[in-house]
Amino acid sequence: MERIKMTTPLVEMDGDEMTRVMWQMIKDELILPYVDLKTEYYDLGLEHRNETDDQVTVDSANATLKYGVAVKCATITPNAARMTEYNLKEMWKSPNGTIRAILDGTVFRAPILIRNIVPYVSNWSKPITIARHAYGDVYKNTEIKVPGPGRAELVFTGEDGREIRETIHQFTGPGILQGIHNTEKSISSFARACFNYALDSRQDLWFATKDTISKKYDHTFKDIFQEIYDEEYAEKFKESGIEYFYTLIDDAVARVIRSEGGFIWACKNYDGDVMSDMVATAYGDLSMMTSVLVSPSGVYEYEAAHGTVQQHYYKYLKGEETSTNGIATIFAWTGALRKRGELDHIPQLVSFSEKLEKACIKTVEDGKMTRSLASISTCENPVVLNCLDFIKAIRETLDSLL
Ligand code: NAP
Ligand code: MG
């Protein structure tokens, strides 16, 4: 078979630990034999980030803005232990945070559904995609532990010197205080990313806040979404046969549980943090969760939702077998290649990506899987494979589909 040609390079962001090992296996077994791969390679492995003072992360994000599509391997976000382990010059920031800030993006996470893995919520027959606003609120807060009686005030001082002042509470004893914020710019970007993604994936969009209680803060989220929808998206949604639906967050939670899935659930930062863990767990397995960062200008960065699978990597270094499941990382590649194919009008690349995804699903449905999937599968006698053998099994299925 002749390898599929590409015209525009994909931005390739390599990463750390077990996912870095898998990255190479996936390229060798599932991509390079079939695609004449064209990438602009950035090594986001922690050692190279340290050598370049993290410039490589910034460069990779700028390259993504230039070319439009990136695929990223999981990366270590350094903490104190990693400072020693990798002898770091500095505790470099989370690469995902840096890239998100440059692309001004929203993260969409969706589970990969497999017939013999039944979600804990049995009526969820279609994936629920969570879109989490990744800026502000409680994640950029200012807090005070109130020592005793006194008045707490909220004060805004404009650049023109104008002051707005509100009493928060007249304390009669000790307590706690928290100041949070968001910006119209960030909320608008979030809204546009959600509307674009809904159109792109032809799914309804749900959004919810607590606007009845928070009449200025949460209500502003509701209003911005509605204004942008009415002005820029209502027509397009109608043409696509999809819907934008706003409700209160508690009503949304109840409806989500009763639903069959198949929509995008846009969440404020905290709601998204909490609900994405609930949704991921209910669908079965962290190693089956995809993730894509979408900027309001339509730039895409695909990755797996899980981390570098550190514990498996230490086993790998000792020469032991690991049960790491590569499916979410493979879907990062297929997502990126499919998008590249769509943008560059290369139908063979789109079709290859679809077949590779089908091959992943069929392999598991045929009873071949890694350990964590076998433990939740309804399959009678699953064949449990190690990381590389599972990738090889997917390749066999892929060859039978091509
Ligand atoms: P993790 O890498 O997601 O792994 C946590 C556990 O989940 C693993 O020990 C494993 O459980 C299971 N797991 C995750 N992915 C799996 C897969 N593909 N196949 C099989 N099992 C899988 O999270 P972590 O150990 O907390 O974090 C490790 C590093 O990843 C950290 O340095 C963190 O900074 C980084 N991280 C990066 C990203 C990112 O780049 N997007 C996201 C999160 C974390 P068992 O051990 O029970 O098999
Ligand atoms: Mg969380």
Side-chain angles (χ1 to χ4, degrees), residues 16-19 22 46 49 72-79 82 94-96 109 285-288 291 301 303-312 315 323-329 370-373:
D16 288 300
E17 298 195 308
M18 199 58 212
T19 39
M22 274 205 299
L46 186 49
R49 273 184 276 150
K72 181 180 170 290
C73 180
T75 46
I76 293 168
T77 298
N79 55 16
R82 302 294 200 171
S94 149
N96 284 24
R109 292 201 159 166
D285 198 303
L286 187 59
S287 64
M288 298 295 281
S291 184
E301 183 241 296
E303 62 174 325
H306 60 75
T308 61
V309 214
Q310 186 179 6
Q311 294 312 321
H312 293 207
K315 274 181 140 184
S323 59
T324 328
N325 172 6
I327 286 189
T329 305
T370 49
R371 197 197 60 218
S372 70
L373 288 186

Side-chain angles (χ1 to χ4, degrees), residues 92-140:
W92 306 111
K93 285 194 206 146
S94 149
N96 284 24
T98 303
I99 295 166
R100 203 157 54 211
I102 294 172
L103 302 188
D104 188 16
T106 298
V107 176
F108 296 82
R109 292 201 159 166
I112 300 156
L113 300 197
I114 307 254
R115 218 177 310 141
N116 55 15
I117 295 172
V118 182
Y120 290 100
V121 181
S122 54
N123 43 292
W124 285 1
S125 57
K126 296 176 190 164
I128 294 171
T129 302
I130 295 241
R132 173 180 169 191
H133 184 212
Y135 177 82
D137 299 353
V138 72
Y139 301 85
K140 268 216 183 297

Side-chain angles (χ1 to χ4, degrees), residues 142-148 152 168-169 171 173-179:
T142 310
E143 300 186 319
I144 296 176
K145 234 173 135 57
V146 174
I168 298 171
H169 189 64
F171 282 90
I176 42 181
L177 266 173
Q178 181 179 62

Side-chain angles (χ1 to χ4, degrees), residues 327-380:
I327 286 189
T329 305
I330 296 169
F331 270 64
W333 275 97
T334 54
L337 289 173
R338 180 198 289 109
K339 180 57 74 182
R340 205 55 283 165
E342 284 169 7
L343 294 174
D344 297 343
H345 309 289
I346 309 172
Q348 302 91 315
L349 202 53
V350 175
S351 150
F352 169 76
S353 307
E354 275 160 12
K355 291 207 171 109
L356 179 47
E357 289 181 358
K358 227 178 245 165
C360 291
I361 292 170
K362 189 170 185 312
T363 305
V364 180
E365 291 185 343
D366 287 349
K368 293 175 203 158
M369 59 195 85
T370 49
R371 197 197 60 218
S372 70
L373 288 186
S375 71
I376 53 169
S377 166
T378 55
C379 178
E380 293 269 323

Side-chain angles (χ1 to χ4, degrees), residues 179-243:
I180 59 171
H181 80 279
N182 224 298
T183 66
E184 286 194 3
K185 178 171 180 283
S186 176
I187 300 166
S188 306
S189 292
F190 173 49
R192 287 197 178 90
C194 291
F195 290 128
N196 285 339
Y197 193 81
L199 283 171
D200 216 40
S201 62
R202 284 183 175 264
Q203 298 183 84
D204 290 346
L205 177 69
W206 294 18
F207 182 47
T209 72
K210 196 70 188 175
D211 65 283
T212 46
I213 297 294
S214 172
K215 290 187 163 51
K216 294 212 171 88
Y217 200 101
D218 275 25
H219 215 291
T220 299
F221 278 82
K222 178 185 177 180
D223 292 344
I224 289 178
F225 264 71
Q226 195 61 49
E227 271 161 36
I228 292 179
Y229 177 73
D230 290 343
E231 277 167 29
E232 302 170 27
Y233 292 94
E235 288 282 305
K236 293 181 198 155
F237 268 51
K238 214 174 192 180
E239 278 165 27
S240 288
I242 58 172
E243 221 181 68

